[in-house]
Amino acid sequence: MASILRQIVAGPRIRNPEAGLDLCYVTDNIIATSGPSSTYPQRAYRNPTDALVKFLDSKHKEHWAIWEFRAEGTGYPDSEVHGRIKHYPWPDHHPPPFALIPNIMASMRNWLMDPEAIKHGRVVVVHCKAGKGRSGTVACSYLISEEGWTVEDALARFTERRMRVGFGAGVSIPSQLRWVGYVGRWTKHGKLYVERKVEIAEVHVWGLREGVKVAVEGFVEEGRKIKTFHTFNKHEKIVVDKTSQRNANLSPTSDENSIDSPISNKDGTETPISSMSSPSVSSPNSASTNPVVLFRPSKPLILPTNDVNIDLERRNHAPYGMSLVTSVAHVWFNAYFEGLGPENSGHALTSGVFEIEWDAMDGLKGSKSKGTRAFDRIAVVWKVPDEEETQGGIVIREPELGEPVPETQAADWKGEGEKEKDLGMRLQSPQRHDGDISEASSVHSMGIEARIKKEKETKPPDVDDEQADDSSLEGVQIHLPDGDNIDGDKPITAPAKEAANLAPKLTTNSLSIDTKTQDQSAPSLRVDTAPETLDSQQDTVSETSKTRARDDSQSATAEQMRKIGLQKVAGIMQAMKDTRMEEKDNSNTGASH
């Protein structure tokens, strides 16, 4: 039974037939494996630590060592792998802090290339949780930086050795792929890296949908944790231009709300932002007619390193004080590489812009799925703080062969790590005037101007008209579940009305709540209803259905009202799931043709 479970969990990854474990030889001296475990229930469906050690001992004797990258904990104590282990942890589904790369590469090279290693044929064993994303990023980086492989060949080799045919790429997360590209440039230009603080001056968003929270994150604790340094609120939002040109320039130092000034460089020259866009992102040529929403922090927003993450989450109000997370996406970039540091002998630009389209963002838990569209395009305006520009940053070079190489502190091997974001229901909606959450609303026929007026009337009494940002809904696209926009105060069209009025029509008898769920704050739901009813459910409850629910609940107890609300949200979630499954089936059918 345990063997069957391990095969199921390994899924698309190739298992080694000799070891009977989830591992592969990327090259003769690099092994990639999923994270082993010494405790139940994990060892029932993952590589047992003792089985992995037994195989390595029999195959390579004492000439093997482990490099692990799990910020959530290794799953075993160091003593169970003879203490031959190096720790460079960072969170799952993210790229590493780039400052770790020189030390990881040097420590692996020292183990593999000293005279003893060459004599006995040492191997390194890299692992994260699945032995795919983080392990693949490091394995490919080593082949590129230490063995002279091209970026394309290294990625192709890892996919060939780690993945079953037809099950996708070994390294597939966009930000991790971006980091492998950074390693290629770092290697080509002398392996010089300069760590600097970075200030986020503005974030420009095209085609912003309602209910979207925009946050800026970075690494702390040597990369073991990701910290949210700022979440933009509606008082920091400005609608810049109702008819934005596609290639408008962005200025981090402009005193006005215009976005047509170039970046001023340290040497007095000016660089058009259009020439500084991320080389890994292709931008459309057509002009956008959507409003540009500009987020500008009210005080300096400074991150401790070049590594910057823009995190977005979208919520819609659900009945009875609940909210539904419908989008989760993020993107990492490194300001040293976006500022062309390797190409300029370490003298990176002191300001620039990183641009990316919605479709190129990182999805949920390493997948391409991000939920419903939250925006069309985003541009992050960054610069180096004045004091950091004067000091010049911290120069980091790869240690020479034989030099001691520091490693980072290991995470608690028993730890489970932080809970990742996911789509689904939340028992409480964001507070209406919470500074960290933007306004989230269900779709209905009220136009933007009417919504702004309503927001004015309900603002807190301690916020005057000058302080209140009436544009929290201005510049935001009101839309239907399928992505079609509702244009301002214009009435909803017939197809839109039909979609908006579709709502689950269930009785309380069709709802069952699993009270044994581990997470008591978010009970799991099961709705028993006909398939044709589920097919008609949408991700938003119309005003008509809300009214009907209020009328029906007038004579109900408080507990019955709660169940009715949970029931409706369950219907919405099931409809979203059915829609995603149908889209996946259609995609697979199209691919087969």
Side-chain angles (χ1 to χ4, degrees):
M1 175 60 74
S3 177
I4 295 174
L5 285 174
R6 292 184 193 119
Q7 292 182 38
I8 293 172
V9 171
R13 301 184 298 275
I14 295 176
R15 292 172 59 84
N16 183 277
E18 182 180 356
L21 298 171
D22 178 18
L23 66 83
C24 75
Y25 281 79
V26 181
T27 63
D28 291 342
N29 54 11
I30 299 177
I31 298 173
T33 179
S34 59
S37 181
S38 298
T39 58
Y40 283 99
Q42 286 82 5
R43 68 174 285 128
Y45 55 85
R46 297 197 179 279
N47 289 338
T49 307
D50 53 357
L52 177 64
V53 171
K54 182 179 180 181
F55 169 75
L56 293 172
D57 283 343
S58 65
K59 189 78 172 177
H60 302 284
K61 298 182 180 180
E62 71 274 14
H63 307 301
W64 60 270
I66 289 176
W67 271 252
E68 70 86 15
F69 316 112
R70 300 190 65 181
E72 65 273 21
T74 60
Y76 57 89
D78 291 1
S79 60
E80 293 193 7
V81 294
H82 310 313
R84 292 199 296 269
I85 184 169
K86 299 290 185 180
H87 300 281
Y88 296 97
W90 76 85
D92 199 6
H93 305 132
H94 298 277
F98 200 88
L100 291 183
I101 292 293
N103 287 340
I104 297 175
M105 298 299 102
S107 61
M108 291 174 64
R109 180 209 60 209
N110 284 356
W111 173 258
L112 292 174
M113 292 187 179
D114 71 9
E116 281 296 310
I118 297 173
K119 180 180 178 180
H120 296 288
R122 287 178 177 174
V123 297
V124 298
V125 182
V126 296
H127 84 74
C128 47
K129 183 177 182 179
K132 182 178 176 292
R134 288 174 287 183
S135 298
T137 300
V138 170
C140 291
S141 296
Y142 184 84
L143 294 178
I144 294 165
S145 65
E146 309 304 323
E147 297 192 4
W149 292 49
T150 66
V151 171
E152 295 76 14
D153 288 346
L155 291 169
R157 167 56 74 92
F158 186 78
T159 296
E160 175 191 349
R161 295 295 178 91
R162 189 69 179 121
M163 306 298 293
R164 298 180 188 275
V165 176
F167 281 86
V171 182
S172 57
I173 297 174
S175 289
Q176 291 179 344
L177 289 169
R178 185 175 300 109
W179 250 243
V180 175
Y182 288 162
V183 170
R185 294 166 57 196
W186 172 72
T187 302
K188 181 179 179 181
H189 297 283
K191 297 183 179 179
L192 172 63
Y193 179 68
V194 181
E195 188 72 278
R196 308 175 298 177
K197 295 180 181 179
V198 174
E199 180 177 349
I200 303 302
E202 295 171 356
V203 177
H204 298 244
V205 186
W206 285 258
L208 180 67
R209 272 58 169 182
E210 34 176 0
V212 177
K213 178 184 70 174
V214 181
V216 179
E217 300 178 339
F219 288 115
V220 294
E221 297 185 19
E222 299 180 297
R224 290 189 301 276
K225 292 185 179 181
I226 297 171
K227 176 182 177 180
T228 300
F229 286 88
H230 185 70
T231 303
F232 291 101
N233 60 61
K234 63 183 181 180
H235 305 297
E236 298 173 313
K237 184 169 69 174
I238 305 167
V239 177
V240 178
D241 187 359
K242 292 288 187 178
T243 57
S244 164
Q245 277 82 31
R246 169 63 187 85
N247 292 319
N249 292 329
L250 311 177
S251 171
T253 57
S254 175
D255 293 331
E256 299 180 0
N257 292 336
S258 62
I259 54 172
D260 52 4
S261 300
I263 294 291
S264 297
N265 298 322
K266 187 176 181 179
D267 59 4
T269 61
E270 292 185 341
T271 303
I273 295 307
S274 58
S275 66
M276 296 170 54
S277 300
S278 170
S280 60
V281 179
S282 59
S283 301
N285 296 322
S286 60
S288 171
T289 59
N290 295 327
V292 181
V293 177
L294 183 153
F295 292 96
R296 180 178 293 161
S298 56
K299 57 184 179 180
L301 172 53
I302 300 176
L303 277 64
T305 70
N306 287 308
D307 307 302
V308 179
N309 185 41
I310 303 300
D311 183 81
L312 296 105
E313 179 183 287
R314 182 180 175 204
R315 294 193 180 199
N316 288 94
H317 283 320
Y320 302 98
M322 300 178 189
S323 65
L324 197 64
V325 177
T326 59
S327 300
V328 175
H330 69 270
V331 61
W332 284 92
F333 69 92
N334 183 286
Y336 174 75
F337 289 93
E338 298 303 321
L340 306 178
E343 291 78 8
N344 290 286
S345 303
H347 300 289
L349 297 173
T350 56
S351 58
V353 173
F354 176 82
E355 291 189 71
I356 192 168
E357 309 287 335
W358 167 256
D359 292 335
M361 298 280 287
D362 296 4
L364 284 165
K365 300 180 180 178
S367 72
K368 294 182 180 180
S369 174
K370 297 180 282 291
T372 59
R373 179 177 288 269
F375 64 90
D376 295 332
R377 179 169 61 95
I378 193 169
V380 184
V381 183
W382 59 268
K383 64 179 182 179
V384 176
D386 294 338
E387 64 274 13
E388 190 74 5
E389 186 175 347
T390 303
Q391 296 172 3
I394 302 172
V395 177
I396 300 175
R397 295 183 182 273
E398 182 183 45
E400 297 293 335
L401 181 63
E403 287 185 4
V405 180
E407 61 180 294
T408 57
Q409 181 180 345
D412 181 1
W413 71 270
K414 297 180 181 179
E416 294 296 329
E418 298 180 0
K419 187 176 180 181
E420 295 188 77
K421 295 181 180 180
D422 204 346
L423 302 179
M425 183 185 68
R426 300 292 183 269
L427 290 182
Q428 293 182 350
S429 295
Q431 294 296 320
R432 180 174 180 81
H433 294 285
D434 188 344
D436 289 345
I437 305 292
S438 58
E439 176 73 1
S441 302
S442 298
V443 174
H444 49 71
S445 59
M446 184 184 295
I448 293 179
E449 296 301 327
R451 306 255 319 260
I452 293 174
K453 180 179 179 181
K454 179 181 178 182
E455 198 170 65
K456 280 184 178 181
E457 295 171 350
T458 56
K459 69 177 185 290
D462 58 340
V463 177
D464 58 31
D465 290 333
E466 291 184 358
Q467 293 174 321
D469 181 8
D470 294 338
S471 65
S472 64
L473 287 172
E474 185 181 0
V476 174
Q477 294 186 14
I478 311 299
H479 67 98
L480 294 168
D482 60 1
D484 291 338
N485 295 337
I486 298 178
D487 186 11
D489 289 318
K490 295 180 181 180
I492 303 179
T493 60
K497 285 184 178 180
E498 182 179 355
N501 287 328
L502 290 174
K505 300 178 181 179
L506 310 174
T507 63
T508 54
N509 294 331
S510 65
L511 173 72
S512 69
I513 303 177
D514 183 3
T515 58
K516 298 180 180 180
T517 180
Q518 294 181 357
D519 186 359
Q520 297 297 329
S521 65
S524 60
L525 304 176
R526 176 170 59 83
V527 180
D528 300 320
T529 186
E532 58 271 16
T533 303
L534 290 177
D535 290 339
S536 67
Q537 294 167 357
Q538 303 296 317
D539 64 348
T540 307
V541 179
S542 66
E543 292 295 323
T544 303
S545 62
K546 289 182 180 179
T547 303
R548 185 188 303 112
R550 288 195 294 269
D551 294 339
D552 293 341
S553 63
Q554 286 180 352
S555 59
T557 64
E559 180 64 19
Q560 288 173 325
M561 292 177 65
R562 174 178 170 275
K563 287 185 177 182
I564 292 172
L566 290 173
Q567 163 202 335
K568 292 182 179 293
V569 175
I572 295 170
M573 294 172 65
Q574 183 63 45
M576 292 177 63
K577 180 178 179 181
D578 292 345
T579 301
R580 288 197 297 268
M581 291 298 295
E582 182 178 351
E583 290 175 350
K584 183 177 180 181
D585 292 341
N586 292 338
S587 176
N588 293 337
T589 302
S592 64
H593 289 305

